[in-house]
């Protein structure tokens, strides 16, 4: 996310103050979830963006490579 924000995100949406992320979470208790949340908190503090995270419903998975690319829908 950081590289996206510094490159394409800043170019495409230079005045954005919000970011919405749709995630495919494996569960709230794994070490990956804790690491991701810690990194997201650090990213939020660095960029001063208001970040909203939404999750796919249980039992659904996003395995489409195109869908995994970061987007800026808040422009």
């Amino acid at each position: 996310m950081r590289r996206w924000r510094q490159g394409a995100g800043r170019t495409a949406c230079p005045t954005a103050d919000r970011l919405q992320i749709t995630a495919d979470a494996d569960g709230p208790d794994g070490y990956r979830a804790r690491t991701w949340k810690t990194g997201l908190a650090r990213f939020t503090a660095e960029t001063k963006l208001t970040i909203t995270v939404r999750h796919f419903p249980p039992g659904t998975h996003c395995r489409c490579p195109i869908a995994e690319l970061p987007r800026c829908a808040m422009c």
Side-chain angles (χ1 to χ4, degrees):
M1 285 188 292
R2 190 171 285 109
R3 279 185 289 201
W4 171 83
R5 175 65 180 159
Q6 291 170 349
R10 185 152 301 167
T11 301
C13 307
T15 61
D17 60 351
R18 300 178 307 208
L19 178 66
Q20 179 175 311
I21 300 168
T22 303
D24 182 11
D26 291 332
D29 298 328
Y31 75 92
R32 289 183 186 181
R34 286 190 298 273
T35 302
W36 191 80
K37 289 176 187 177
T38 302
L40 184 62
R42 192 175 309 125
F43 176 72
T44 302
E46 290 172 8
T47 61
K48 307 291 191 249
L49 291 171
T50 300
I51 298 179
T52 303
V53 179
R54 296 178 183 221
H55 298 278
F56 287 105
T60 61
H61 298 283
C62 178
R63 296 293 178 234
C64 174
I66 299 298
E68 292 175 1
L69 294 174
R71 292 181 182 82
C72 181
M74 298 292 187
C75 297

